[in-house]
Amino acid sequence: LSLQWESVENKSTVLVYGGGALVTLWFSATIVGAINSVPLLPKVMELVGLGYTGWFVYRYLLFKSSRKELLEDVEELKKKITGA
């Protein structure tokens, strides 16, 4: 990890992005807490989550060809992130 850190040219940019990620995480947790305080909204959001999960399973996990497509998409995303 330290070797990877030493190879980074713009350390300040990495720190800014890391700080931004932490602020975004805190902000999203605050939003979720506010949504949970509204009486009916948590159940609606739960239904939306269950619906999306069902769609995702049907779209990507149920059939072998779609699982292969999902793995190819994940590998492509990994290449974009790592720059390989």
Side-chain angles (χ1 to χ4, degrees):
L1 187 60
S2 64
L3 185 60
Q4 185 74 16
W5 178 251
E6 293 301 323
S7 68
V8 172
E9 292 179 14
N10 295 332
K11 290 180 175 56
S12 61
T13 304
V14 172
L15 291 175
V16 168
Y17 280 138
L22 289 175
V23 168
T24 302
L25 182 65
W26 170 79
F27 186 69
S28 62
T30 304
I31 296 295
V32 168
I35 288 173
N36 277 336
S37 67
V38 177
L40 185 61
L41 220 46
K43 294 297 179 186
V44 171
M45 297 302 278
E46 190 174 325
L47 286 174
V48 168
L50 285 172
Y52 181 78
T53 301
W55 173 83
F56 185 85
V57 167
Y58 177 75
R59 171 69 177 92
Y60 290 111
L61 301 178
L62 205 55
F63 305 108
K64 187 174 184 175
S65 61
S66 60
R67 284 192 299 264
K68 185 177 179 182
E69 178 186 344
L70 176 63
L71 287 176
E72 289 171 358
D73 289 345
V74 168
E75 289 300 321
E76 183 180 325
L77 182 63
K78 278 188 206 176
K79 288 179 183 176
K80 284 182 182 179
I81 290 173
T82 59

